């Protein structure tokens, strides 16, 4: 069934049919398309454009189609231009010519716009739920493994922190990701249904009713903007890209941590793979794939920005290209979050390896400088003194805390016996604002 064609003398070229077809992509919108149609038909009955018996017949037919798709009796397949023509064709088969009244006071332009917005609302809520699970997973893993470890800058040992505190940095990132998605949901929460092709309809329809019926905050204000707005997809794809960037950063760190050079964590076999040649290998492919798929989501963002960058108002067929990239990014983000949850839940944290690594980078050097400052030494002078202490330690192959007091006093007479307690790693995190590293901060 074709939803247009009266003014055409020739049938569409077969190549053009395939080129124009979006059913293989937008069939994912079947629930939203049927829900939107039911709300639209109810409204047409309320304003007396359709009779009650017509409304009931159409709604019953649409509900039957929904049930048959859900239970597998009706397959989403066939030679259809899009999901809209599929649903209307199946409705016509079931209830006859009254089905042709379904599209009164509606265009595919506002129809697909409302379908897509409903789909996004449904799916983004699910993504947010997954983010919540990952947040709780990171918090739990950190709480169970609150071990001292080196924090890094430039991938060089810098200062002592805890494993829990490191994971909590990602919790903060994910909380911002969640806020971005919630903000996007708030901005898109306006119904375009009733905008028709671009300029509304001469029929007195009730957009407030359909908006409320479909769970939107209110109808959109401008019809031209309503049918051509895909800002919300750009915003969500941007949020998806940031989520993937965060997942990629975490992936990279865990990949480093599970190398023989670090051994901070051990990945579960469930989320690792082996080598076809080297039998000793245990590869973090789960994390490498998350890292790699990040570029795929970035590509979807660039795709939609490029599609929309020079489109005149209102709807243009270019906008059909919004769905495939969005669906792909959505699926990618979903599975990457799920895999990361599995990786974090099942990985083993190696306390002893973390404690060993603390001694390898003079990561209490800053605290030696703080100690000297407390003794009245200007910070720049303290920085210089500690630098010379580090050179001495490197020559001797010893840690700062392993030097005896006379050795330390040779660099500054301000150093006393109490320095050892001050720069002890377990004490460092109890001083100044470092104590927040050990606190429950939500």
């Amino acid at each position: 069934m074709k939803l247009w064609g009266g003014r055409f003398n020739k049938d569409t070229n077969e190549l053009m049919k395939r080129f124009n077809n979006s059913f293989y992509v937008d069939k994912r919108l079947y629930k939203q398309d049927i829900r939107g149609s039911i709300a639209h038909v109810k409204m047409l009955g309320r304003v007396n454009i359709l009779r009650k018996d017509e409304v009931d017949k159409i709604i019953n037919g649409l509900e039957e189609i929904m049930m048959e798709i859900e239970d597998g009796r009706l397959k989403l397949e066939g030679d259809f231009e899009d999901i809209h023509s599929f649903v209307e064709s199946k409705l016509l088969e079931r209830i006859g010519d009254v089905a042709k009244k379904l599209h009164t006071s509606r265009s595919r332009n506002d129809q697909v716009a409302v379908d897509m917005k409903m789909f996004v609302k449904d799916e983004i809520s699910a993504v947010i739920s997954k983010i919540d699970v990952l947040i709780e997973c990171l918090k739990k893993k950190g709480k169970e493994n609150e071990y001292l470890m080196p924090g890094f800058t430039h991938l060089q040992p810098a200062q002592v922190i805890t494993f829990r505190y490191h994971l909590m940095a990602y919790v903060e990132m994910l909380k911002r990701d969640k806020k971005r998605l919630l903000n996007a949901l708030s901005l898109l929460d306006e119904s375009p249904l009733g905008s028709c092709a671009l300029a509304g309809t001469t029929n007195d329809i009730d957009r407030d009713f359909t908006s409320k019926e479909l769970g939107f905050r209110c109808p959109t204000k401008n019809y031209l903007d309503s049918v051509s707005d895909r800002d919300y997809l750009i915003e969500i794809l941007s949020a998806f890209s940031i989520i993937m960037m965060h997942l990629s950063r975490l992936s990279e760190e865990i990949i480093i941590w599970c190398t023989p050079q670090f051994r901070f964590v051990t990945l579960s076999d469930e989320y690792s793979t082996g080598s076809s040649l080297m039998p000793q290998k245990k590869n973090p492919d789960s994390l490498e794939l998350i890292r790699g798929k990040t570029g795929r989501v970035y590509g979807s963002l660039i795709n939609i920005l490029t599609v929309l960058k020079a489109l005149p108002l209102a709807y243009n067929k270019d906008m059909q290209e919004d769905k495939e990239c969005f669906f792909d990014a959505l699926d990618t983000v979903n599975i990457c979050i799920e895999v990361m949850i599995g990786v974090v839940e099942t990985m083993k944290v190696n306390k002893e390896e973390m404690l060993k690594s603390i001694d390898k980078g003079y990561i209490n050097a800053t605290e030696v400088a703080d100690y000297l400052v407390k003794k009245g030494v200007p910070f720049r002078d303290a920085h210089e003194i500690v630098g010379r202490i580090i050179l001495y330690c490197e020559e001797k192959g010893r840690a700062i805390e392993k030097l005896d007091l006379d050795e330390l006093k040779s660099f500054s007479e301000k150093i006393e016996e109490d320095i050892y307690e001050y720069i002890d790693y377990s004490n460092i995190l109890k001083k100044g604002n470092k104590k927040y590293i050990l606190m429950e901060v939500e």
Side-chain angles (χ1 to χ4, degrees):
M1 176 186 179
K2 209 158 52 168
L3 301 182
W4 52 272
R7 60 93 65 218
F8 289 80
N9 291 320
K10 291 184 179 180
D11 195 14
T12 311
N13 179 279
E14 285 301 317
L15 176 62
M16 179 57 190
K17 281 183 183 178
R18 295 201 307 275
F19 191 54
N20 189 50
N21 185 302
S22 65
F23 182 51
Y24 72 100
V25 174
D26 61 32
K27 63 185 179 181
R28 287 181 70 160
L29 300 175
Y30 76 89
K31 288 182 185 177
Q32 291 76 22
D33 197 70
I34 293 171
R35 281 169 51 204
S37 290
I38 289 172
H40 182 67
V41 169
K42 283 182 181 178
M43 181 274 296
L44 292 177
R46 279 173 60 89
V47 298
N48 298 315
I49 292 174
L50 294 183
R51 301 191 311 270
K52 184 180 184 305
D53 62 301
E54 293 173 324
V55 170
D56 291 344
K57 196 169 185 180
I58 293 172
I59 290 175
N60 289 338
L62 289 168
E63 289 175 343
E64 182 182 304
I65 290 169
M66 177 79 87
M67 281 191 298
E68 290 186 12
I69 293 172
E70 297 281 278
D71 65 23
R73 283 180 290 157
L74 179 58
K75 305 294 183 186
L76 289 165
E77 57 190 24
D79 185 22
F80 297 95
E81 184 177 335
D82 51 33
I83 187 60
H84 321 301
S85 56
F86 173 86
V87 171
E88 198 166 328
S89 174
K90 297 303 176 184
L91 186 65
L92 186 61
E93 289 174 9
R94 283 161 174 72
I95 67 172
D97 282 352
V98 69
K100 296 177 181 178
K101 296 189 176 186
L102 168 64
H103 210 55
T104 306
S105 299
R106 187 176 67 171
S107 164
R108 278 191 297 178
N109 293 0
D110 62 334
Q111 185 178 2
V112 72
V114 78
D115 287 0
M116 198 62 184
K117 278 195 170 184
M118 286 192 291
F119 178 86
V120 168
K121 286 178 71 174
D122 293 340
E123 294 297 324
I124 298 310
S125 296
V127 173
I128 289 170
S129 295
K130 288 185 175 71
I131 290 173
D132 284 335
V133 173
L134 180 53
I135 286 172
E136 291 307 312
C137 180
L138 288 166
K139 287 161 70 174
K140 182 173 184 289
K141 183 63 68 170
K143 199 164 188 177
E144 292 170 350
N145 301 278
E146 196 161 0
Y147 310 136
L148 295 181
M149 68 173 285
F152 297 85
T153 62
H154 309 278
L155 265 183
Q156 302 295 312
Q159 289 183 287
V160 67
I161 57 170
T162 66
F163 181 71
R164 173 183 171 274
Y165 196 71
H166 197 119
L167 292 189
M168 288 301 293
Y170 287 97
V171 168
E172 292 301 312
M173 296 179 208
L174 290 165
K175 283 159 69 174
R176 293 195 297 272
D177 293 330
K178 179 179 175 179
K179 286 179 182 177
R180 274 184 280 270
L181 291 176
L182 288 170
N183 182 66
L185 284 177
S186 174
L187 289 176
L188 71 84
D189 198 20
E190 298 180 351
S191 172
L193 190 58
S195 300
C196 298
L198 76 160
T201 174
T202 54
N203 290 321
D204 290 322
I205 62 173
D206 187 345
R207 295 188 66 216
D208 289 315
F209 173 82
T210 52
S211 176
K212 186 176 180 181
E213 189 76 6
L214 294 173
F216 287 95
R217 185 176 67 247
C218 62
T220 51
K221 303 296 187 295
N222 184 286
Y223 303 142
L224 282 167
D225 178 57
S226 300
V227 298
S228 61
D229 170 33
R230 298 296 185 272
D231 290 2
Y232 63 97
L233 295 182
I234 296 171
E235 186 172 10
I236 291 169
L237 285 171
S238 176
F240 281 176
S241 295
I242 297 171
I243 290 169
M244 289 301 299
M245 179 265 290
H246 291 153
L247 294 180
S248 183
R249 292 180 72 180
L250 179 55
S251 295
E252 175 72 4
E253 295 211 285
I254 299 175
I255 288 167
I256 291 169
W257 290 346
C258 70
T259 60
Q261 290 76 17
F262 276 76
R263 299 184 187 276
F264 285 3
V265 301
T266 303
L267 287 193
S268 167
D269 290 353
E270 296 173 87
Y271 292 93
S272 307
T273 65
S275 164
S276 62
L277 174 66
M278 298 164 284
Q280 84 281 11
K281 294 295 292 298
K282 183 176 177 181
N283 299 325
D285 284 7
S286 53
L287 297 161
E288 291 172 4
L289 281 168
I290 291 173
R291 193 174 58 184
K293 288 177 183 293
T294 299
R296 182 171 180 157
V297 176
Y298 291 178
S300 292
L301 174 60
I302 297 302
N303 186 331
I304 189 68
L305 283 168
T306 306
V307 165
L308 295 170
K309 74 174 181 65
L311 288 186
L313 294 173
Y315 182 84
N316 297 270
K317 195 69 169 184
D318 314 46
M319 298 173 78
Q320 182 170 289
E321 293 299 306
D322 64 347
K323 295 168 200 64
E324 195 162 9
C325 62
F326 182 81
F327 294 158
D328 185 75
L330 173 68
D331 294 342
T332 302
V333 167
N334 271 320
I335 195 168
C336 286
I337 295 174
E338 290 167 11
V339 169
M340 184 59 81
I341 290 168
V343 167
V344 173
E345 279 181 340
T346 59
M347 74 181 180
K348 178 178 177 291
V349 182
N350 303 321
K351 176 183 179 181
E352 296 307 317
E353 296 295 336
M354 286 185 176
L355 291 177
K356 273 192 241 176
S357 71
I358 288 175
D359 294 328
K360 295 179 182 177
Y362 311 108
I363 62 175
N364 52 3
T366 304
E367 282 65 45
V368 176
D370 289 342
Y371 171 87
L372 290 169
V373 168
K374 285 183 180 294
K375 297 288 185 174
V377 179
F379 178 76
R380 285 297 165 210
D381 293 340
H383 192 284
E384 175 72 20
I385 291 167
V386 177
R388 287 190 276 111
I389 293 173
I390 297 302
L391 282 175
Y392 181 82
C393 287
E394 287 179 336
E395 289 171 8
K396 300 296 183 182
R398 293 158 68 194
I400 299 172
E401 66 275 14
K402 300 300 182 184
L403 301 179
D404 61 42
L405 187 58
D406 287 338
E407 287 175 297
L408 288 170
K409 287 182 80 67
S410 69
F411 294 97
S412 172
E413 286 298 321
K414 298 286 188 179
I415 297 176
E416 304 289 345
E417 186 71 34
D418 60 349
I419 190 172
Y420 295 106
E421 181 183 0
Y422 193 92
I423 66 172
D424 178 79
Y425 290 112
S426 58
N427 289 332
I428 285 171
L429 297 183
K430 299 173 185 175
K431 300 179 187 298
N433 70 1
K434 287 180 179 289
K435 59 181 174 283
Y436 291 106
I437 292 174
L438 299 176
M439 291 174 62
E440 292 280 347
V441 180
E442 295 296 333

